[in-house]
Amino acid sequence: MPSGTSPAADRTTRFHTSAAANVRLRRLVDRGARVLPLLVDRPTESGLDSDMPSAYGQVARTGVALDSIDDMRVLLSGIPLDKVALSLSVDAAAAPLILLYQLVAEEHGVPAERLRGSVRNDVLKEFITPDGTCLFPPGPSMRLTRDLLGYCRTALPRWDLVSVCGHELAEAGADPAQEVAFALANGIAYVRTAVTAGVFVPRLTFCLSGSGNQAEVLAKFRAARRIWGRAMTEHFGPDLAGRAVLRCHVPPSWSVAAARTGRPWLRTDASQEIEASALRLMDSIERLGGAVRAVEHRFQSTALPPDSRPAGPSGVEAPGPEARATHLRQSERLAKLRAWRVQPTVDEALADLREAARGDRNVMLPMRAALAASATVGEICETLRGVWGTYQAPPGRR
């Protein structure tokens, strides 16, 4: 991010409607930013419209409320989309939001092949961490990831579509070996999903935790690279392995010089210990049938320590005046959208999406048609839930 901008400050401002967020994004562009971070609110990430009862008190609270193409139009007004890249921090609801971005960009006259961006879209991690957002069961979640990868291969070729978030596993209590093992096993599952569907090898980014002793963190990175290269060759052959290089984020507080000076005194045995422990865990995951099956068996989540955060009060925290006003504004926007759209067209598009979900047809094209007809993100996700079901977390934790 360019100097003069604070990712933390710009990502965490509360009660951001699309209009308020647009002001922030335009300010970043004026300062010279070429990568625009975007965090959505909890209802959007959960596939809920802002006017749904379960969204009350959470609308635009920790990110932008994006219910429909109208919100995306407001968000992107005046943004030079052919000159910036969007960094979208969302997992389970990535598909409809990427399509909304594409639709509005095309309204701006920017062809999809010129759009650049990245999305987190680490859906398997959401089943492992205690506060993950899971819209569908693991199998259908990976089906949607497969369809997204297939669609974007030609429609949005400059987008990075999966960022494996090992650091969030570490924040949930994973030790270095668990972080490496679970993150890389998830990465293998994403590549496997793409390859078995005949799609392509996705460009994966891994974000591992930089917390702790720098020498041990470097040992973890080294172990991860060795395991990944070997795993790609063993599972997919040398040709694919050469195209699936591990791309790892270095913690921003580290300088290149610091990383280089750390290598001479790096304990080789520390890297080997992490590697050996991680390989044992990954072998257990493979024996269960891979990361998706392991998630269904709760192998990863039960290996982590219990959630130590104090339990919050029961029910939804009473919203204050600003939260109530934001909820009312978004509800009014949705009411106007539904009043003005051509409902038979929306119904037809959602019915087509439902049929695609029931079969093996890529759901992205009917989803795009529904969103273009002003179907909401909540309606899209509810249609898919009606076919694929919802994920029911076991009591206590995921």
Side-chain angles (χ1 to χ4, degrees):
M1 194 137 191
S3 60
T5 64
S6 170
D10 279 302
R11 279 182 179 274
T12 59
T13 303
R14 295 174 62 184
F15 303 115
H16 259 171
T17 61
S18 53
N22 173 259
V23 173
R24 175 177 65 88
L25 293 181
R26 293 173 75 163
R27 184 174 68 243
L28 289 174
V29 171
D30 289 343
R31 292 176 180 174
R34 289 297 174 261
V35 177
L36 304 181
L38 184 65
L39 190 68
V40 300
D41 66 358
R42 189 73 174 184
T44 302
E45 188 164 7
S46 302
L48 303 173
D49 286 334
S50 295
D51 59 353
M52 297 183 73
S54 51
Y56 186 64
Q58 302 299 316
V59 176
R61 186 161 193 165
T62 56
V64 186
L66 293 174
D67 291 315
S68 71
I69 193 169
D70 280 358
D71 287 328
M72 189 65 79
R73 285 170 177 147
V74 173
L75 176 71
L76 300 179
S77 176
I79 305 296
L81 300 179
D82 57 337
K83 296 181 173 61
V84 298
L86 184 71
S87 177
L88 184 57
S89 295
V90 68
D91 296 291
L97 297 182
I98 288 175
L99 287 173
L100 288 176
Y101 185 77
Q102 180 190 2
L103 286 167
V104 173
E106 290 174 351
E107 291 179 351
H108 287 198
V110 181
E113 60 270 17
R114 293 184 59 188
L115 295 175
R116 294 181 298 114
S118 62
V119 64
R120 202 166 52 198
N121 194 31
D122 187 3
V123 293
L124 291 176
K125 172 262 302 176
E126 297 293 280
F127 295 97
I128 301 173
T129 55
D131 57 351
T133 302
C134 308
L135 300 190
F136 319 109
S141 296
M142 291 297 283
R143 153 77 186 277
L144 184 56
T145 295
R146 182 203 73 180
D147 288 357
L148 176 63
L149 292 173
Y151 174 82
C152 291
R153 179 186 184 184
T154 54
L156 293 166
R158 301 178 72 184
W159 268 69
D160 291 334
L161 297 167
V162 180
S163 179
V164 183
C165 301
H167 66 292
E168 293 193 24
L169 300 173
E171 291 168 3
D175 62 34
Q178 290 173 326
E179 180 190 358
V180 169
F182 298 162
L184 295 190
N186 289 353
I188 290 170
Y190 296 131
V191 175
R192 182 176 284 149
T193 295
V195 171
T196 55
V199 182
F200 75 121
V201 182
R203 293 184 296 177
L204 299 180
T205 298
F206 289 82
C207 187
L208 300 180
S209 173
S211 300
N213 179 282
Q214 183 167 320
E216 292 182 356
V217 172
L218 287 170
K220 178 176 67 178
F221 281 19
R222 179 175 290 180
R225 288 193 174 94
R226 285 199 301 265
I227 295 172
W228 181 254
R230 189 159 58 248
M232 287 296 99
T233 300
E234 291 174 356
H235 287 291
F236 306 108
D239 291 341
L240 189 150
R243 291 181 284 142
V245 178
L246 182 76
R247 298 190 302 164
C248 224
H249 280 310
V250 176
S253 59
W254 292 13
S255 66
V256 174
R260 285 174 177 165
T261 56
R263 287 184 183 132
W265 44 268
L266 174 63
R267 281 178 51 219
T268 303
D269 57 339
S271 179
Q272 292 173 343
E273 290 168 6
I274 293 172
E275 181 176 356
S277 297
L279 285 171
R280 284 193 293 270
L281 288 168
M282 293 177 71
D283 182 62
S284 296
I285 291 171
E286 280 300 308
R287 280 189 272 110
L288 287 171
V292 179
R293 292 292 295 160
V295 160
E296 293 172 343
H297 286 283
R298 299 180 61 221
F299 174 82
Q300 300 96 321
S301 60
T302 54
L304 301 181
D307 189 4
S308 59
R309 294 171 301 179
S314 59
V316 179
E317 179 185 350
E322 189 176 3
R324 291 194 294 269
T326 302
H327 179 269
L328 180 61
R329 283 196 299 269
Q330 280 298 113
S331 298
E332 289 175 346
R333 286 179 60 81
L334 281 167
K336 291 177 181 178
L337 174 83
R338 293 188 176 110
W340 282 98
R341 69 188 185 183
V342 181
Q343 193 59 44
T345 303
V346 176
D347 294 340
E348 182 179 350
L350 290 175
D352 191 33
L353 173 63
R354 188 177 301 110
E355 288 304 309
R358 285 175 178 156
D360 199 47
R361 184 159 52 103
N362 192 312
V363 300
M364 294 295 289
L365 288 175
M367 187 186 299
R368 174 191 161 101
L371 291 166
S374 295
T376 66
V377 172
E379 289 166 343
I380 293 290
C381 293
E382 190 59 32
T383 298
L384 295 177
R385 287 188 188 104
V387 178
W388 293 340
T390 58
Y391 177 70
Q392 299 296 327
R397 66 169 302 157
R398 300 189 184 279

